[in-house]
């Protein structure tokens, strides 16, 4: 069965917020068996685990549990409130060290591509682009070479859906 498409998180299997299970689990939202479950952040009063991708995509999980997959205050600003609603209610989040932050560009949220260190940015030919985008952030310019994919100082890579520009968010443990 094909997973739903999430424009702001296009490959949640590779970022490992969705996990494939050998034995199906029951989604707590819809009650259906699924072999793919969500293991990313979900902010709700209830302790909810093992949501299926379809309940996330439809918004059923956020509605049923009055929850969010991304803190609406930890995002770049966009003018369309429907885009914010799609991001927080119908898009799987990602796992950060402290507080996940979602980047935006061209007045829309960007696609989360994954976790990166400096070596990954170099391999993709993106280190110069993300440094250029840092727009006067001297601390990032001086410390970007210390980024490690699975280390204490990690990068989160985003791509603008409209112009293709790559943006970075960094976080420390």
């Amino acid at each position: 069965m094909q997973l739903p498409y999430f424009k702001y998180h296009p490959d949640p299997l590779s970022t490992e917020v969705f996990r494939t299970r050998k034995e199906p689990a029951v989604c707590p939202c819809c009650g259906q068996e699924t072999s793919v479950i969500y293991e990313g952040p979900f902010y709700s009063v209830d302790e909810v685990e093992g949501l299926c991708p379809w309940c996330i995509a439809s918004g059923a999980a956020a509605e049923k549990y009055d929850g969010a997959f991304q803190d609406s205050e930890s995002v770049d600003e966009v003018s369309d409130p429907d885009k914010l609603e799609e991001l927080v209610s119908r898009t799987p989040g990602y796992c950060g060290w402290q507080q996940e932050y979602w980047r935006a560009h061209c007045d829309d949220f960007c696609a989360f591509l994954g976790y990166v260190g400096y070596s990954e940015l170099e391999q993709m030919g993106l280190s110069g682009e993300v440094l250029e985008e840092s727009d006067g952030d001297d601390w990032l310019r001086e410390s970007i070479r210390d980024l490690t994919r699975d280390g204490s100082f990690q990068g989160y890579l985003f791509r603008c859906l409209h112009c293709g520009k790559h943006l970075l968010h960094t976080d420390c443990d």
Side-chain angles (χ1 to χ4, degrees):
M1 184 179 288
Q2 188 169 358
L3 296 179
Y5 178 71
F6 301 95
K7 72 178 181 180
Y8 298 132
H9 197 152
D11 195 358
L13 283 168
S14 74
T15 62
E16 299 181 349
V17 294
F18 284 158
R19 301 269 184 177
T20 303
R21 297 173 47 110
K22 290 181 183 179
E23 295 295 319
V26 175
C27 173
C29 184
C30 66
Q32 299 294 310
E33 282 193 349
T34 179
S35 60
V36 179
I37 62 167
Y38 180 64
E39 293 188 351
F42 185 61
Y43 306 99
S44 170
V45 171
D46 297 317
E47 187 84 20
V48 182
E49 294 180 359
L51 292 166
C52 75
W54 298 272
C55 285
I56 295 171
S58 70
E63 183 177 339
K64 180 174 182 173
Y65 298 105
D66 192 24
F69 298 95
Q70 173 65 36
D71 176 7
S72 63
E73 298 299 315
S74 296
V75 299
D76 284 344
E77 190 174 320
V78 299
S79 62
D80 185 347
D82 291 339
K83 292 175 181 177
L84 180 61
E85 194 278 328
E86 180 175 354
L87 178 69
V88 301
S89 299
R90 299 189 315 272
T91 302
Y94 70 91
C95 300
W97 280 119
Q98 294 180 47
Q99 177 61 49
E100 296 82 13
Y101 189 89
W102 214 281
R103 299 299 313 266
H105 196 263
C106 293
D107 199 31
D108 198 357
F109 293 108
C110 295
F112 175 66
L113 302 181
Y115 311 96
V116 294
Y118 185 73
S119 64
E120 288 83 10
L121 290 171
E122 283 282 290
Q123 289 169 359
M124 292 184 271
L126 298 176
S127 59
E129 182 179 345
V130 297
L131 273 176
E132 180 182 301
E133 185 276 328
S134 67
D135 196 26
D137 184 343
D138 292 334
W139 182 84
L140 181 59
R141 288 186 172 287
E142 293 172 16
S143 58
I144 193 167
R145 285 179 172 68
D146 297 330
L147 277 177
T148 54
R149 185 180 188 283
D150 296 313
S152 294
F153 179 44
Q154 182 164 259
Y156 308 95
L157 186 62
F158 294 85
R159 182 183 60 236
C160 178
L161 299 174
H162 304 281
C163 71
K165 185 171 187 65
H166 290 88
L167 294 95
L168 187 68
H169 174 67
T170 61
D171 197 7
C172 300
D173 67 357

